[in-house]
């Protein structure tokens, strides 16, 4: 029995600045920097390769500046990649384009939008990036549904209330803008919005960072339950090993834009191999 | 991947687990590349329906062996051959992480010495969860079976809906055992499961384990008590401190 990954990322690289041929060879954990000393460019991530399997939660952990958020932003086409490839196992895209065995980063921006709208969802650390704060919560969800080609207003309203219920937002507050909500509620509206198009892949970028612990606990429980209910494939980016331990089965450890270690989460925590992972694990409170 | 599988399948005897020259070395970079030996030159086989005990003094690497089989530790050398249902014959020391996850999901269970509490989940849900996720039971069915098992393990009914974080050590450990055995894994690794239990609870756990073995679960276990070990195990593999130094 062979399990086919739902997402396959190869040699993902993002350089801010002009870049030079020496960039990859003068940055990274062994040089303890991600600024190239030859051209001054910032190598946000380089040579990042991994697979995401159906139904799994994969963690990406690292300190700030390690490139972990860069990776999810690139996967979501928020930024242009400098180089690299991404392949998705085609299970849902119907009709318009055949993306089997195609490098998604090489598609047109129209096609990238289509892919993003039909099978990706993202939740940012900062709800201002993921939500329109002045538009009602229901409207935020509807906006995404419209992008995914929904047209019936009644159906969109039903879907929005279903999702808000799932994410524990009182449905009667559906017509209020997220600006009125607390941080934890805003995060849950973001999750509802990200789930609205039934994505195959959900990207969570530090979703509980900055929330107080009881609110953080509710958001984490919500993610755990959603994953069990709808069997999503999720990438969780966090600097918090507690979050990684609770949610994930496999983890990528990043430092200065590079992957230093990939492994089973319990192996990363109990038998870390790379010197940086050992420091990270031993630094836990 | 071409695997030359070393198992010999003879009359009625089927080897399901074969460990060849397993070794584990920890390289602690943050302590100036200090090297700690976990276990060395470990070889044994376990046949269908067998319970293999591992004995040896504290620090000899008994738990290390179990953690290598479960892949919580990455083995440094040697092979761990396992005749799985999911992928047929595999070397647990070398297969990809996602395959290990698949095997842990469907075949290989592990009982630790302590319950690693899942926060904000009630005792009964902790025990019912594997049935829901692994065996595809309905929520009602899973809860009923979880309740029955907890009852057999003498957990008072009033605690079923409470969070085990507040339980006594012995109660937590019984929840831990219930969660590990309820889904009937094909290979069960036991790391001193009864260390924090009183005599009566230990007897119940032993009975449950015997039932599982008679139903065909393969077991490799460490017990803090040699008498228990003699009682449970079909064969005993001894690890010595001497072999390591």
């Amino acid at each position: 029995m062979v399990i086919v990954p739902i997402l396959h990322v190869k040699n993902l690289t993002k350089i801010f600045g002009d870049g030079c041929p020496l960039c990859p060879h003068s940055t990274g954990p062994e040089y303890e920097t991600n600024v190239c000393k030859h051209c001054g460019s910032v190598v946000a991530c380089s040579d990042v390769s991994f697979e995401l399997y159906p139904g799994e939660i994969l963690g990406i952990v690292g300190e700030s500046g390690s490139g972990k958020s860069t990776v999810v932003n690139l996967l979501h086409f928020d930024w242009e990649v400098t180089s690299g490839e991404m392949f998705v196992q085609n299970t849902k895209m119907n009709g318009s384009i055949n993306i089997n065995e195609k490098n998604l980063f090489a598609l047109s921006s129209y096609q990238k939008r289509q892919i993003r709208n039909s099978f990706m969802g993202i939740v940012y650390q900062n709800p201002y990036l993921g939500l329109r704060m002045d538009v009602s919560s229901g409207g935020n969800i509807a906006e995404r549904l419209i992008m995914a080609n929904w047209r019936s207003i009644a159906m969109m309203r039903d879907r929005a209330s279903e999702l808000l219920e799932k994410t524990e937002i009182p449905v009667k507050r559906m017509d209020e803008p997220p600006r009125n909500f607390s941080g934890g509620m805003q995060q849950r509206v973001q999750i509802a919005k990200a789930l609205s198009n039934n994505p195959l892949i959900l990207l969570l970028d530090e979703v509980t960072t900055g929330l107080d612990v009881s609110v953080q606990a509710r958001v984490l429980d919500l993610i755990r339950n959603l994953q069990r209910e709808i069997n999503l494939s999720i990438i969780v980016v966090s600097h918090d090993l507690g979050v990684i331990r609770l949610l994930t089965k496999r983890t990528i450890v990043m430092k200065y834009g590079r992957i230093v270690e990939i492994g089973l989460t319990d192996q990363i925590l109990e038998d870390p191999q790379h010197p940086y992972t050992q420091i990270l694990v031993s630094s836990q409170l | 991947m071409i695997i030359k599988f070393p198992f010999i399948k003879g009359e009625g005897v089927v080897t399901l687990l074969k460990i060849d020259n397993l070794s584990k070395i920890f390289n602690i970079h943050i302590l100036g590349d200090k090297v700690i030996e976990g276990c060395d030159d470990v070889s044994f086989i376990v046949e269908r329906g067998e319970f293999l005990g591992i004995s040896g003094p504290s620090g000899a690497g008994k738990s290390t062996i179990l953690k290598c089989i479960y892949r919580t530790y990455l083995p440094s050398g040697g092979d761990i051959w396992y005749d799985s249902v999911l992928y047929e014959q595999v070397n647990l020391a070398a297969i990809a992480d996602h395959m290990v996850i698949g095997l842990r999901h469907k075949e290989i269970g592990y009982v630790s010495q302590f319950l690693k509490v899942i926060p904000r989940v009630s005792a009964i849900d902790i025990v019912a969860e594997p049935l829901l996720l692994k065996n595809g039971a309905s929520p009602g069915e899973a809860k009923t079976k979880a309740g029955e098992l907890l009852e057999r393990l003498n957990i008072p009914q009033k605690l079923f809906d409470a969070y085990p974080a507040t339980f006594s050590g012995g109660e937590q450990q019984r929840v831990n055992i219930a969660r590990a055995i309820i889904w009937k894994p094909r290979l069960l690794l036991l790391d001193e499961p009864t260390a924090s239990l009183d005599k009566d609870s230990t007897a119940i756990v032993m009975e449950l384990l015997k039932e599982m073995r008679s139903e065909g679960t393969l077991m490799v276990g460490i017990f803090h008590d040699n008498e228990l070990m003699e009682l449970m195990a079909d064969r005993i593999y001894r690890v010595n401190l001497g072999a390591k130094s």
Side-chain angles (χ1 to χ4, degrees):
Chain A
M1 199 177 89
V2 180
I3 305 166
V4 183
I6 191 165
L7 187 74
H8 195 162
V9 176
K10 287 184 188 168
N11 307 106
L12 189 63
T13 300
K14 175 68 180 173
I15 297 175
F16 291 99
D18 299 330
C20 70
L22 294 170
C23 283
H25 311 294
S26 56
T27 57
E30 56 273 48
Y31 302 95
E32 300 196 352
T33 179
N34 42 19
V35 182
C36 172
K37 66 177 176 197
H38 303 284
C39 65
S41 302
V42 174
V43 180
C45 71
S46 175
D47 209 17
V48 169
S49 303
F50 62 90
E51 285 113 32
L52 178 70
Y53 289 89
E56 86 164 333
I57 309 188
L58 173 68
I60 305 182
V61 72
E63 60 198 22
S64 62
S66 61
K68 55 194 193 303
S69 294
T70 302
V71 170
V72 291
N73 283 314
L74 293 173
L75 300 187
H76 196 245
F77 308 115
D78 291 346
W79 297 338
E80 283 280 325
V81 299
T82 305
S83 63
E85 297 173 299
M86 169 162 71
F87 302 93
V88 171
Q89 190 206 357
N90 186 5
T91 50
K92 205 174 136 198
M93 284 292 282
N94 36 19
S96 49
I97 43 171
N98 177 16
I99 53 168
N100 262 344
E101 289 169 37
K102 283 204 178 131
N103 172 15
L104 303 188
F105 293 132
L107 299 176
S108 70
S109 51
Y110 170 71
Q111 289 172 323
K112 284 180 191 167
R113 261 200 312 280
Q114 264 190 313
I115 288 165
R116 180 163 71 184
N117 293 337
S118 61
F119 61 59
M120 285 183 177
I122 191 165
V123 180
Y124 299 96
Q125 175 180 358
N126 182 348
Y128 279 78
L129 289 174
L131 297 174
R132 286 175 202 276
M133 286 295 165
D134 296 324
V135 175
S136 73
S137 303
N140 264 291
I141 293 170
E143 183 196 2
R144 186 152 174 82
L145 291 173
I146 290 166
M147 288 197 290
N149 292 321
W150 289 50
R151 290 297 176 262
S152 152
I153 296 200
M155 279 169 72
M156 284 192 271
R157 250 192 108 73
D158 284 351
R159 177 76 179 144
S161 51
E162 177 196 331
L163 286 161
L164 291 173
E165 208 163 303
K166 215 174 235 171
T167 51
E168 300 162 22
I169 303 280
V171 174
K172 62 174 192 274
R173 299 191 69 178
M174 168 169 164
D175 296 319
E176 272 182 59
R179 184 167 28 79
N180 293 4
F181 293 168
S182 68
M185 282 174 81
Q186 288 175 350
Q187 238 24 350
R188 295 202 300 270
V189 176
Q190 250 205 111
I191 293 172
K193 181 176 180 176
L195 291 175
S196 59
N197 60 335
N198 277 323
L200 289 178
I201 298 163
L202 182 63
L203 308 168
L204 303 175
D205 188 4
E206 300 271 14
V207 282
T208 57
T209 307
L211 302 176
D212 51 283
V213 279
S214 57
V215 179
Q216 179 176 2
R218 280 180 69 193
V219 173
L220 291 176
D221 289 350
L222 173 68
I223 295 165
R224 255 167 60 88
N225 292 336
L226 286 171
Q227 198 272 337
R228 272 170 48 172
E229 257 172 58
I230 47 189
N231 203 35
L232 273 168
S233 306
I234 305 179
I235 297 179
V236 175
V237 170
S238 180
H239 68 279
D240 183 344
L241 282 174
V243 171
I244 296 287
R245 183 206 303 269
L246 188 69
L247 292 179
T248 72
K249 291 223 167 67
R250 274 196 321 131
T251 299
I252 294 173
V253 183
M254 288 189 73
K255 169 102 169 156
Y256 292 119
R258 308 297 201 285
I259 292 180
V260 296
E261 187 167 351
I262 302 186
L264 295 164
T265 300
D266 56 326
Q267 178 254 301
I268 296 277
L269 293 169
E270 292 192 40
D271 185 21
Q273 304 290 307
H274 191 274
Y276 172 67
T277 316
Q278 293 185 356
I279 293 173
L280 193 72
V281 170
S282 66
S283 309
Q284 267 196 107
L285 292 179
Chain B
M1 188 167 52
I2 299 162
I3 296 172
K4 238 174 82 188
F5 198 61
F7 287 7
I8 307 152
K9 301 195 180 185
E11 302 264 306
V13 181
V14 183
T15 304
L16 293 182
L17 186 68
K18 182 171 194 288
I19 297 190
D20 272 332
N21 272 317
L22 174 70
S23 68
K24 173 63 189 168
I25 294 163
F26 298 93
N27 194 339
I28 319 287
H29 300 287
I30 48 177
L31 297 177
D33 289 329
K34 190 180 170 74
V35 171
I36 296 172
E37 196 172 279
C39 64
D40 187 34
D41 196 21
V42 172
S43 301
F44 58 75
I45 57 167
V46 191
E47 282 159 5
R48 175 177 294 161
E50 224 183 1
F51 190 129
L52 181 88
I54 303 178
S55 80
S58 166
K62 304 186 293 292
S63 297
T64 303
I65 298 171
L66 292 188
K67 286 190 173 177
C68 283
I69 300 173
Y70 199 58
R71 260 282 280 278
T72 298
Y73 291 164
L74 279 176
S76 310
D79 300 315
I80 302 169
W81 294 102
Y82 170 62
D83 192 2
S84 73
V85 174
L86 212 50
Y87 312 112
E88 299 181 346
Q89 299 164 347
V90 290
N91 181 1
L92 294 173
I95 54 170
D97 293 328
H98 73 272
M99 291 174 78
V100 177
I101 291 173
L103 288 172
R104 287 177 178 185
H105 185 62
K106 285 290 181 196
E107 299 184 33
I108 305 179
Y110 180 89
V111 194
S112 53
Q113 232 165 327
F114 302 103
L115 176 66
K116 286 189 186 121
V117 188
I118 307 164
R120 304 171 299 279
V121 183
S122 67
I124 193 150
D125 285 336
I126 285 181
V127 178
E129 192 182 65
L131 282 181
L132 281 172
L133 298 183
K134 297 169 188 278
N135 303 38
S138 72
E141 189 189 341
K143 253 193 160 137
T144 310
K145 283 198 170 157
E148 286 167 6
L149 186 56
L150 285 174
E151 219 159 277
R152 252 193 99 179
L153 283 161
N154 278 334
I155 300 285
Q157 202 142 20
K158 63 171 193 270
L159 290 182
F160 285 12
D161 295 315
Y163 300 153
T166 60
F167 289 11
S168 76
E171 285 164 348
Q172 286 195 8
Q173 185 54 8
R174 277 176 278 157
V175 172
N176 191 27
I177 292 168
R179 177 177 164 88
I181 65 175
I182 194 162
W183 62 286
K184 305 245 158 82
R186 190 160 172 269
L187 167 61
L188 183 61
L189 308 167
L190 302 140
D191 191 353
E192 304 212 19
T194 56
S196 55
L197 298 184
D198 58 30
K199 248 198 167 123
D200 292 347
S201 304
T202 302
I204 297 168
V205 171
M206 289 301 165
E207 212 180 278
L208 283 166
L209 292 180
K210 275 186 187 154
E211 282 173 27
M212 281 181 78
R213 184 180 49 182
S214 68
E215 287 168 31
T217 294
L218 193 71
M219 297 192 218
V220 182
I222 307 167
F223 289 90
H224 63 295
D225 180 337
N226 273 331
E227 258 173 66
L228 276 180
M229 179 93 90
E230 305 277 344
L231 212 67
M232 280 304 295
D234 299 302
R235 277 185 306 117
I236 292 177
Y237 178 80
R238 290 180 206 286
V239 241
N240 297 316
L241 270 175
K244 291 173 59 183
S245 49

